[in-house]
Amino acid sequence: MKSFRSAILLALLVGLCIGGAAPARAGSGTPEDPWIIGMSQCNLAEPWRAQMNKDIADAAAAHPEVRAIFKDAQNDTLVQRQHIEEFVNQGVDVLLVSPKEAVPLTEPVARAYQAGIPVMVLDRRIMGDQYTTFIGADNKLIGQAVGRWIARQTGGTGNIVELKGLMTSTPGQDRHSGFLKGIEGTDLKVIFEADMEWLEPKARQEMESALARFPDIDVVYGHNDPAAHGAYLAARAAGRADEMIFVGIDALPHEGKRYVEEGILDASFEYPTGGREAVATAVEILLGKEAPKEIVLPSRFFTADNVKDNGLWLEEAGLIDMPGEEPSNLEPNQPVIEERLRIGEEVGEDIKELPTD
Ligand code: FRU
C-alpha cells in the first residue's frame, strides 16, 4: 500500500515536471555547448530528401554555434509524430520538420510550437498556422508553369498521363491544381491519372496500366522526377518511349537535371530543398531575430536547350505571371482541410479543438 502511494506521488511529481514548464533548452549557442537543431525528415529513401538533409548538415557545419541532429521516419506518419514528440521532450532549440502529410502531422507540430520551441516546416505544409516559419517553393506556381510549358511544346493539344504525388501531402495537391490551371483553355486532356505516392516503382506500375489502356499518349507529367523516370522506363520497355514527352519536378543535379542531359526527360522543374535557408533562418531565430512566416523559394527549369546554361527561371521564360505575387498556396485548401478532419478522426484526435494560441 505504502509503495502504491509513493508510486502515485512519484507519478504526480513527474507529471508536474513534464506538463508544467516549457522544455529546457538543449544548448547555449557556443561551440562547446551548441544550440541543437532537431530535424524530423519524413523519409530518406529518395535522393531529394537525402539532398535536403545534406544541405542542412553542410549549412550547420559552417555554424559552430549550432549542431543539427536528424531522425528519419522512413515514410511512416506515426513514426514521424513520435519523432517530433521525442525532439520536444528532449528540448531541442529549434525543430525542423518536413512532414510526410499535412493532416496527421499538424497536431504534433502545433504542440511543439505551443511548448515554446521555434518550429520550421519545410517543403510540405501542415494545416493552420501553429508553426514559426514555412520554407518551400510554390508548388501551385510550379504546376502551372509545367502546364504552360507543355501547352507550348504540344501546340496545346494532346493526351496526358499525370502521375500524382501523395495526395494527402500539399505538394501533390498543389502540383495538380496548378497544372490544371496551366492547361486551362487548351485542348490538352488528362486521360489517365494516378497517385504514385512520390515513389518511382509505383509510378512505373501505374504507367504500365496507362500504356495498356491508351494507344495515344503524348505527354507524361510526373509530379517528381522519379515518377517521370519510372514512366519512361515503362514506356521504353513497351517500345513506346519515342511517342511521348516526359516532364518531372525536382531537377537535382544528379537526378532530373542529368535525365534531361541524357535525353530521358524533356524537362525538369527545380524544387529547391530549402535546407540551407532553414539553417540560416534557425540561426537568426536563435539570435533573437524575428523570422518571416513564409519563405517562398524561386524555381528554374531545365530542358535540352537551356541545361548547359544552368536552366531558366520560370519568370524569365514567361511561365508564371507575376514575380513577387502573393504565393498562391496560402489560401485555405478545402480538400486538405476535409482530409485533415478525416485522418484526424482516424488517429483519434480532435483537430477542430486544437488550441490556437
Ligand atoms: C521526396 C519528394 C520529392 C518531391 C517532394 C515533395 O520525398 O517526393 O521528389 O519533390 O518530396 O514534397
Side-chain angles (χ1 to χ4, degrees), residues 276-352:
R276 288 175 178 281
E277 294 80 358
V279 172
T281 312
V283 170
E284 300 262 286
I285 292 173
L286 288 163
L287 291 172
K289 301 197 185 131
E290 188 93 0
K293 192 81 187 172
E294 300 275 331
I295 299 179
V296 180
L297 306 170
S299 178
R300 289 171 293 183
F301 75 109
F302 300 89
T303 62
D305 292 339
N306 71 27
V307 70
K308 293 221 164 40
D309 306 320
N310 217 16
L312 262 186
W313 295 102
L314 303 186
E315 296 91 321
E316 268 181 296
L319 291 174
I320 52 178
D321 291 330
M322 303 244 295
E325 203 183 22
E326 277 292 287
S328 53
N329 48 5
L330 288 182
E331 305 136 23
N333 186 330
Q334 198 50 36
V336 182
I337 292 169
E338 279 159 18
E339 186 64 7
R340 170 189 179 191
L341 296 175
R342 189 183 65 73
I343 300 181
E345 245 167 42
E346 256 175 47
V347 296
E349 68 196 17
D350 191 353
I351 294 175
K352 280 167 284 187

Side-chain angles (χ1 to χ4, degrees), residues 200-320:
E200 173 156 347
K202 185 119 206 259
R204 183 171 178 164
Q205 220 177 2
E206 294 293 355
M207 184 65 188
E208 281 163 5
S209 310
L211 288 161
R213 277 177 57 195
F214 296 100
D216 285 324
I217 300 172
D218 304 295
V219 178
V220 175
Y221 166 36
H223 281 200
N224 63 3
D225 290 330
H229 184 248
Y232 167 82
L233 293 179
R236 195 181 65 181
R240 290 176 58 186
D242 291 343
E243 296 168 19
M244 55 198 90
I245 62 172
F246 297 87
V247 183
I249 296 174
D250 279 346
L252 287 177
H254 51 286
E255 197 188 40
K257 203 173 152 200
R258 210 190 66 212
Y259 294 150
V260 170
E261 282 158 358
E262 290 171 349
I264 291 173
L265 297 190
D266 295 272
S268 177
F269 286 66
E270 181 189 24
Y271 190 54
T273 69
R276 288 175 178 281
E277 294 80 358
V279 172
T281 312
V283 170
E284 300 262 286
I285 292 173
L286 288 163
L287 291 172
K289 301 197 185 131
E290 188 93 0
K293 192 81 187 172
E294 300 275 331
I295 299 179
V296 180
L297 306 170
S299 178
R300 289 171 293 183
F301 75 109
F302 300 89
T303 62
D305 292 339
N306 71 27
V307 70
K308 293 221 164 40
D309 306 320
N310 217 16
L312 262 186
W313 295 102
L314 303 186
E315 296 91 321
E316 268 181 296
L319 291 174
I320 52 178

Side-chain angles (χ1 to χ4, degrees), residues 42-43 46 48-49 98-99 123-124 139 169 171-172 175 197-199 223-226 249-250 255 271:
C42 59
N43 174 26
E46 291 136 48
W48 189 86
R49 298 211 169 264
S98 193
D123 130 66
R124 299 185 187 171
N139 284 297
S169 70
R175 289 177 194 185
E197 297 168 18
W198 303 117
L199 304 172
H223 281 200
N224 63 3
D225 290 330
I249 296 174
D250 279 346
E255 197 188 40
Y271 190 54

Side-chain angles (χ1 to χ4, degrees), residues 1 17 53 57 150 190 209 217 246 253 335 346 354:
M1 187 63 175
C17 294
N53 277 19
I150 288 172
V190 177
S209 310
I217 300 172
F246 297 87
E346 256 175 47
L354 261 194

Side-chain angles (χ1 to χ4, degrees), residues 14-34:
V14 170
L16 276 180
C17 294
I18 293 174
R25 284 288 166 252
S28 52
T30 60
E32 301 74 42
D33 182 26

